[in-house]
């Protein structure tokens, strides 16, 4: 009797261990995954509309870009049109619907854990709040909040299907953004995590614009999203982006060209250090800003035969000339965003929120209006520390 | 049989037990809960202020325990309030501990299902974790303590690593202005935060097991200080990176933060799994100790072997953990537990302490 009892107990113990065998319940083989790298969102292209179930104007054409995982590396004949990626286009009223459509086309499961990029076309962003488009990516646990959000002037599907390099376009674009440190014509990386915060705060912001020029992809200028509607209201050019980068002082990649008096030949200043300080002031209930930009750098290219730069007077003059040039760039940008677009895309609101919390609470809802009327003073201070390796005779 | 005799733990082990118990669900949800409640970036001040309460509770329980050395609350409470009342209080505590086990294991399974094992049924996850808990429990408090000694350094290491990695997203402006809305909003968050300090109540049994009962005060102090540091760091990096507005709509802001940075060039890309590993270990620690506390309560009340009750309580814990229909209900179960903790371990010990003073005087 006792033996039977022990036997029963043993077998019971074994039975309850069975679920443990399902340890890899959710495992998926990597060959059976489609790694999603980028997503492009366009308004529905006419040829794609198959059903008139939804109003056609609210339909989206979504391009899913997936990396091709080469299963047999040994294949030697590399065909000309062998792209390292596959694009799948689907049309539907919401992103998840289009994502589900893919299941009917592809034998593999789509895995979104490596998605780097989402590109929204101008047409979509002008007509819809971009919150609607991005919501899915915020909710979906598979999607990473580090993905970058960009706008394109043209069609997102074209951007995702350019042929010049044997790179994956989404990865290519993602990698270009790393150059922000070397160029002030680019925009600081805007990941979904940061954009989510801006959208929740109803703040206006700018997104990198991607364009296609002569078969090349280029990050050029920025799209302006208005906080109250979260819709696209305009674009900033590369030159206008420079002004923003002077004020935010996040990049060290600026060069400034000034012309020598008389000869019109260029002298070029390369910035090495940039600091800026924004101070809001409220006097008699009137808000104004003081912006101080300080930069240090060197003269990197000279096409003139100026007498010695080492002379204090020449250097001072040059510094002033450069400062004037930068002021001009800042002025152009400020005029554009204050007068034309009337939105605070630089983040002046943060300084007001920190220094005048009461004022901010009161005026938070119509901040863009207040900002566009606030006078902004700016001064630029340049120090030339170096003349490169070439010594002027 | 008295399980205390062979199961003494050192003060250092007691500290680690308290830390592992306190750190739990809060570390994932506290930034959002507090951001909603407080509405200014000063929520880190809230954490500092709130840490006074667990300290107070800890010291009160300690004072009460010191009047009855080498005995757990379950064993001495009848001397203060009499048999019947004592049974009611102790049973409520047992119910509290077992519900807490269920709540934590449910959240554990929910997060695991969302981020790691999408297709695995939640029941399987819960059952597996509960079995592991049982396995750790059957050898008593000492082996639990030794397990925690392994878990804790790992947690600290990975936590610091991830905190440093997310510094790239950190922006000081998100934490400013300090006290821009005055002290008022800061105080609003105190209750929410106090719930994250659930865990200090384990002292009602723990101090009886101490090899060196005189070090009780140190145990309470360090045991509360360390989780406070963990919470502070978490809040500061999460709010600093995602901003106050940015965490409001996120279910698990801390995991989202880890989803938000990338280090190009490193083969390993998904740091959230690293974080989830230590978090799962922390929850596992919590449910181990709560299951033990509940079983010990029943065993000392009915004077029976503790293992029996562990086996009995396991399906009970599973059953309760399946009660919430969705995540929202699970969160409200958590809030209920918080309120119950305030009553059971905040208010009742003070009353008992006063009563026991009065009794002593009479006799």
């Amino acid at each position: 009797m006792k033996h039977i009892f022990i036997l029963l107990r043993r077998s019971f113990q074994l039975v309850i261990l069975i679920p443990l065998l399902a340890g890899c319940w959710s495992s998926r083989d990597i060959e059976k995954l489609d790694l999603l790298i980028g997503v492009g969102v366009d308004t529905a292209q006419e040829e794609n509309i198959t059903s008139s179930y939804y109003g056609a104007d609210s339909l989206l054409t979504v391009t899913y870009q997936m990396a091709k995982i080469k299963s047999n590396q040994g294949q030697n004949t590399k065909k000309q049109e062998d792209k390292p990626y596959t694009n799948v286009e689907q049309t539907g009223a919401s992103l998840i619907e289009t994502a589900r459509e893919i299941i009917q086309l592809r034998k593999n499961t789509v895995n979104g854990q490596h998605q780097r990029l989402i590109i929204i076309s101008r047409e979509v962003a002008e007509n819809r709040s971009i919150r609607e488009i991005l919501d899915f990516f915020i909710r979906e646990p598979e999607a990473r909040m580090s993905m970058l959000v960009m706008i394109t002037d043209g069609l997102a599907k074209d951007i995702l299907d350019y042929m010049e390099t044997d790179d994956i376009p989404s990865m290519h674009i993602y990698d270009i953004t790393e150059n922000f440190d070397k160029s002030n014509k680019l925009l600081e990386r805007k990941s979904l995590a940061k954009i989510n915060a801006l959208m929740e705060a109803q703040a206006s912001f700018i997104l990198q614009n991607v364009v296609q020029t002569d078969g090349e992809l280029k990050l050029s200028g920025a799209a302006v999203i208005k906080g109250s509607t979260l819709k696209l209201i305009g674009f900033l050019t590369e030159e206008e982006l420079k002004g923003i980068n002077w004020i935010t002082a996040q990049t060290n990649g600026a060069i400034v060209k000034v012309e020598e008096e008389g000869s019109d030949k260029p002298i070029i200043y390369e910035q090495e250090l940039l600091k800026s300080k924004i101070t809001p002031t409220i006097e008699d209930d009137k808000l104004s800003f003081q912006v101080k930009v300080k930069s240090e750098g060197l003269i990197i290219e000279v096409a003139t035969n100026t007498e010695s730069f080492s002379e204090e007077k020449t250097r001072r003059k040059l510094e002033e000339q450069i400062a004037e040039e930068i002021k001009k760039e800042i002025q152009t940008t400020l005029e554009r965003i204050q007068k034309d677009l009337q939105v605070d895309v630089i983040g002046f609101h943060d300084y007001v929120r920190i220094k005048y919390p009461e004022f901010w609470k009161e005026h938070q809802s119509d901040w863009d209006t207040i900002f566009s009327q606030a006078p902004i003073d700016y001064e630029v201070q340049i120090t030339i520390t170096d003349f490169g390796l070439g010594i002027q005779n | 049989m008295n399980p205390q005799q062979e199961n003494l733990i050192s003060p250092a082990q007691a500290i680690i037990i308290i830390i592992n118990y306190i750190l739990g669900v809060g570390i994932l949800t506290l930034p959002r809960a507090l951001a909603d409640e407080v509405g200014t970036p000063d929520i880190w001040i809230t954490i500092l202020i709130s840490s006074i309460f667990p300290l107070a509770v800890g010291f009160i329980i300690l004072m009460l325990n010191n009047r009855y050395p080498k005995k757990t609350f379950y064993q001495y409470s009848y001397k203060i309030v009499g048999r019947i009342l004592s049974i009611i209080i102790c049973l409520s505590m047992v119910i509290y501990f077992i519900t807490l086990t269920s709540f934590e294991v449910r959240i554990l399974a929910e997060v695991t299902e969302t981020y790691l094992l999408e297709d695995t049924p939640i029941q399987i996850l819960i059952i597996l974790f509960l079995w592991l808990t049982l396995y750790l429990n059957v050898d008593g408090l000492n082996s639990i303590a030794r397990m925690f000694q392994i878990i804790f350094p790992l947690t600290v290491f990975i936590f610091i690593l991830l905190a440093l990695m997310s510094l790239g997203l950190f922006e000081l402006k998100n934490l400013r202005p300090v006290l821009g809305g005055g002290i008022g909003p800061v105080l609003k968050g105190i209750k929410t935060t106090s719930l994250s300090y659930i865990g200090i109540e384990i002292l009602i049994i723990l101090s009886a097991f101490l090899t060196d009962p005189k070090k009780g005060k140190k145990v309470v102090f360090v045991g509360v200080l360390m989780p406070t540091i963990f919470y502070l760091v978490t809040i500061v990096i999460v709010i600093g990176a995602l901003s106050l507005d940015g965490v409001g709509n996120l279910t698990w802001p801390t995991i989202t933060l880890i989803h938000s940075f990338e280090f190009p060039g490193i083969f390993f890309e998904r740091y959230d799994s690293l974080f989830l590993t230590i978090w799962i270990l922390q929850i596992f620690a919590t449910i181990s100790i709560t299951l033990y506390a509940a079983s010990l309560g029943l065993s000392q009340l009915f004077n029976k072997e503790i293992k029996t009750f562990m086996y009995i309580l396991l399906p009970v814990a599973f059953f309760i953990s399946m009660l919430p229909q969705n995540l929202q209900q699970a969160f409200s179960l958590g809030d209920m537990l918080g309120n119950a903790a305030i009553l059971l371990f905040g208010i009742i010990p003070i009353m008992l302490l006063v009563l026991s003073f009065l009794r002593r005087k009479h006799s």
Side-chain angles (χ1 to χ4, degrees):
Chain A
M1 192 61 206
K2 203 183 167 197
H3 285 288
I4 294 174
F5 187 71
I6 290 175
L7 190 72
L8 272 177
R9 211 176 74 173
R10 287 265 162 84
S11 40
F12 178 68
Q13 281 170 347
L14 283 177
V15 166
I16 64 170
L17 283 176
I18 287 176
L20 283 174
L21 295 174
C24 296
W25 200 304
S26 303
S27 73
R28 281 179 284 175
D29 295 332
I30 191 153
E31 302 84 37
K32 294 199 174 153
L33 289 179
D34 270 338
L35 290 185
L36 187 66
I37 309 291
V39 172
V41 185
D42 293 304
T43 45
Q45 306 301 300
E46 244 171 86
E47 70 255 44
N48 283 334
I49 301 176
T50 45
S51 72
S52 53
Y53 182 70
Y54 302 101
D57 54 327
S58 69
L59 286 182
L60 299 169
T61 294
V62 187
T63 311
Y64 292 88
Q65 178 154 74
M66 288 161 291
K68 255 185 207 162
I69 298 169
K70 290 172 195 117
S71 46
N72 31 355
Q73 297 273 344
Q75 271 187 341
N76 41 13
T77 48
K78 204 183 174 192
K79 275 178 276 171
Q80 193 66 42
E81 57 214 303
D82 207 14
K83 299 184 219 166
Y85 60 90
T86 316
N87 285 358
V88 179
E89 269 174 45
Q90 284 301 323
T91 302
S94 66
L95 274 112
I96 182 69
E97 279 174 271
T98 58
R100 285 300 159 92
E101 294 276 319
I102 302 182
I103 295 172
Q104 287 162 277
L105 296 173
R106 311 271 304 171
K107 62 182 198 307
N108 293 345
T109 331
V110 177
N111 179 301
Q113 277 160 348
H114 296 270
Q115 190 189 338
R116 288 290 164 84
L117 189 67
I118 167 162
I119 300 183
I120 302 170
S121 82
R122 170 196 198 139
E123 228 181 309
V124 174
E126 273 173 350
N127 296 316
R128 288 185 177 222
S129 145
I130 63 163
R131 182 77 179 75
E132 290 173 27
I133 309 294
L134 296 177
D135 188 69
F136 170 61
F137 297 96
I138 294 167
R139 285 179 200 273
E140 166 64 48
E142 233 185 41
R144 294 178 58 85
M145 294 294 266
S146 58
M147 72 172 82
L148 303 182
V149 184
M150 292 187 190
I151 299 282
T152 177
D153 216 348
L155 284 179
K157 64 168 189 163
D158 291 345
I159 298 286
L160 289 178
D161 199 25
Y162 92 122
M163 280 292 294
E164 282 301 300
T165 69
D166 55 352
D167 214 350
I168 302 172
S170 308
M171 294 288 265
H172 185 77
I173 296 170
Y174 183 88
D175 290 342
I176 296 178
T177 58
E178 275 174 32
N179 295 341
F180 172 63
D181 199 37
K182 295 172 208 127
S183 164
N184 69 342
K185 289 183 181 178
L186 289 176
L187 181 64
E188 196 186 351
R189 271 189 178 182
K190 286 265 166 63
S191 66
L192 186 54
K194 297 280 182 197
I195 290 168
N196 178 43
L198 290 164
M199 290 193 301
E200 287 296 308
Q202 298 226 307
S204 303
F205 55 95
I206 42 180
L207 293 174
Q208 182 72 57
N209 181 33
V210 200
V211 294
Q212 217 178 3
T213 47
D214 312 324
E216 291 274 8
L217 286 180
K218 192 182 177 193
L219 302 190
S220 167
V224 180
I225 309 285
K226 191 175 168 65
S228 52
T229 56
L230 292 175
K231 284 181 183 166
L232 189 147
I233 56 162
F235 284 90
L236 297 180
T237 62
E238 287 170 32
E239 295 303 315
E240 285 159 352
L241 257 185
K242 275 180 169 180
I244 288 181
N245 281 328
W246 285 120
I247 296 174
T248 54
Q250 294 291 326
T251 168
N252 274 332
I255 52 169
V256 183
K257 187 181 80 177
V258 291
E259 277 157 6
E260 191 200 32
E261 254 173 86
S263 75
D264 290 350
K265 283 190 172 173
I267 299 172
I268 301 202
Y269 166 82
E270 185 188 14
Q271 165 227 320
E272 283 191 320
L273 192 86
L274 180 60
K275 276 183 190 161
S276 75
K277 198 175 176 212
I278 300 175
T279 328
T281 334
I282 296 178
E283 265 172 29
D284 308 331
D285 225 28
K286 285 275 179 218
L287 179 73
S288 65
F289 289 99
Q290 289 76 45
V291 182
K292 271 187 191 160
V293 179
K294 264 189 197 175
S295 169
E296 273 177 29
L298 51 98
I299 298 297
I300 194 71
E301 196 177 335
V302 180
T304 65
N305 38 15
T306 325
E307 68 276 29
S308 175
F309 282 126
S310 47
E311 242 179 69
E312 180 80 5
K313 220 175 83 189
T314 335
R315 209 185 65 211
R316 280 268 184 290
K317 199 161 175 208
L318 206 53
E319 284 174 350
E320 251 165 58
Q321 248 182 309
I322 295 164
E324 273 317 304
E325 190 63 36
I326 295 174
K327 270 190 185 175
K328 246 186 260 167
E329 290 182 0
I330 295 179
Q331 193 193 349
T332 325
T333 308
L334 283 181
E335 258 171 32
R336 175 96 168 103
I337 63 174
Q338 276 194 306
K339 302 275 147 16
D340 290 4
L341 300 166
Q342 307 201 335
V343 285
D344 170 22
V345 294
I346 304 183
F348 280 96
H349 55 85
D350 273 325
Y351 298 92
V352 177
R353 178 176 60 81
I354 290 168
K355 200 172 171 197
Y356 301 106
E358 307 278 305
F359 182 86
W360 171 246
K361 226 181 214 175
E362 212 174 305
H363 299 282
Q364 193 175 2
S365 48
D366 55 344
W367 171 247
D368 278 334
T369 327
I370 289 178
F371 166 76
S372 51
Q373 284 155 5
I376 300 175
D377 296 327
Y378 42 89
E379 51 183 89
V380 181
Q381 197 188 329
I382 299 293
T383 319
I384 297 174
T385 54
D386 201 341
F387 292 90
L389 296 177
I391 285 193
Q392 206 78 24
N393 320 316
Chain B
M1 148 160 185
N2 188 353
Q4 274 133 284
Q5 299 312 317
E6 70 242 49
N7 254 321
L8 291 178
I9 53 169
S10 72
Q13 283 178 318
I15 290 173
I16 284 179
I17 287 180
I18 292 178
I19 298 170
N20 278 302
Y21 184 3
I22 292 182
L23 292 179
V25 178
I27 211 151
L28 293 191
T29 55
L30 197 58
R32 168 179 44 84
L34 270 183
D36 287 348
E37 202 82 40
V38 177
T40 67
D42 301 320
I43 51 185
W44 55 276
I45 303 176
T46 313
I47 305 262
L48 283 179
I49 298 176
S50 309
S51 66
I52 296 169
F53 294 98
L55 277 179
V57 168
F59 286 129
I60 288 166
I61 294 177
L62 210 61
M63 274 164 78
L64 190 61
N65 278 351
N66 285 346
R67 303 181 70 81
Y68 306 93
K70 296 275 166 204
K71 282 207 163 63
T72 69
F73 182 85
Y74 301 125
Q75 288 166 317
Y76 66 70
S77 56
Y78 76 94
K79 290 188 189 160
I80 310 173
V81 290
R83 197 45 92 181
I84 296 170
L85 214 52
S86 149
I87 289 182
I88 292 175
I89 294 175
C90 291
L91 274 183
S92 323
M93 286 183 178
V94 168
I95 292 171
Y96 164 82
F97 279 123
I98 200 66
T99 315
L100 187 58
T101 316
S102 315
F103 165 70
E104 299 264 341
V105 79
R106 172 67 184 259
I107 299 291
L108 170 63
E110 289 279 356
V111 173
T112 315
E113 197 207 14
T114 311
Y115 285 103
L116 299 173
L117 306 167
E118 275 174 57
D119 305 329
T120 314
I122 196 162
Q123 290 86 347
I124 295 289
L125 294 169
I126 291 178
I127 289 173
L128 286 180
F129 279 116
L130 283 177
W131 278 345
L132 270 179
T133 313
L134 177 76
Y135 182 58
L136 181 60
N137 258 291
V138 286
D139 278 335
L141 192 61
N142 210 298
S143 48
I144 296 179
R146 262 178 283 153
M147 176 73 189
F148 287 8
Q149 279 176 300
I150 303 170
I151 292 176
F152 185 62
L154 198 69
T155 308
V156 175
F157 175 73
I158 294 181
F159 186 78
I160 291 176
L161 187 78
L162 289 172
L164 289 178
M165 288 177 101
S166 53
L167 279 185
L169 293 169
F170 185 83
E171 287 173 73
L172 190 62
K173 69 172 182 347
N174 288 337
L175 288 166
R176 293 176 69 198
V178 176
L179 290 180
I183 195 81
V186 175
L187 299 178
K188 267 196 275 175
I190 282 185
K191 185 165 171 267
T192 317
T193 321
S194 305
L195 305 188
S196 291
Y197 280 104
I198 280 182
I200 192 69
E201 68 270 13
I202 197 63
L203 272 175
I204 64 161
I205 63 162
L206 206 63
S207 70
F209 289 90
L210 277 181
T211 48
D212 189 358
K214 282 182 206 134
K215 294 235 170 103
K217 277 188 186 138
K218 193 182 148 196
V219 169
V220 173
F221 188 72
V222 183
V224 173
L225 181 74
M226 292 290 288
T228 307
I229 295 173
F230 269 86
Y231 284 146
L232 264 184
V233 172
T234 310
I235 288 282
V236 166
I237 60 172
V238 171
I239 299 296
L242 300 177
S243 95
L244 196 73
D245 296 305
V247 297
N249 63 339
L250 303 171
T251 313
W252 312 108
T254 313
I255 302 183
T256 302
L257 170 71
I258 293 164
H259 263 188
S260 308
F261 58 79
E262 233 162 79
F263 281 79
I266 301 179
F267 168 72
F268 190 59
E269 262 184 359
R270 295 187 53 213
Y271 309 98
D272 47 326
S273 47
L274 208 62
F275 177 76
L276 284 173
T277 313
I278 59 162
W279 183 76
I280 286 170
L281 287 176
Q282 286 308 314
I283 298 286
F284 174 62
T286 305
I287 61 177
S288 304
I289 196 73
T290 47
L291 181 69
Y292 186 80
S295 316
L296 185 77
L298 289 179
S299 118
Q300 291 184 335
L301 276 183
F302 300 110
N303 228 350
K304 291 253 169 56
E305 169 129 31
I306 185 165
K307 275 184 202 171
T308 326
F309 290 107
M310 288 173 183
Y311 283 104
I312 292 173
L313 284 178
L314 213 55
V316 177
F318 173 74
F319 178 71
I320 301 175
S321 73
M322 293 317 297
L323 282 182
Q325 296 297 308
N326 52 40
L327 198 56
Q328 253 48 45
Q329 286 186 14
F331 280 143
S332 38
L333 178 67
D335 290 342
M336 269 164 56
L337 279 169
N339 294 334
I342 292 174
L343 177 72
L344 279 175
F345 305 100
I347 296 169
I348 288 182
I350 298 181
M351 285 160 53
L352 292 195
L353 192 63
V354 175
L355 267 179
S356 90
F357 268 117
L358 293 179
R359 291 218 165 199
R360 190 70 46 107
K361 267 196 185 147
H362 271 284
S363 57

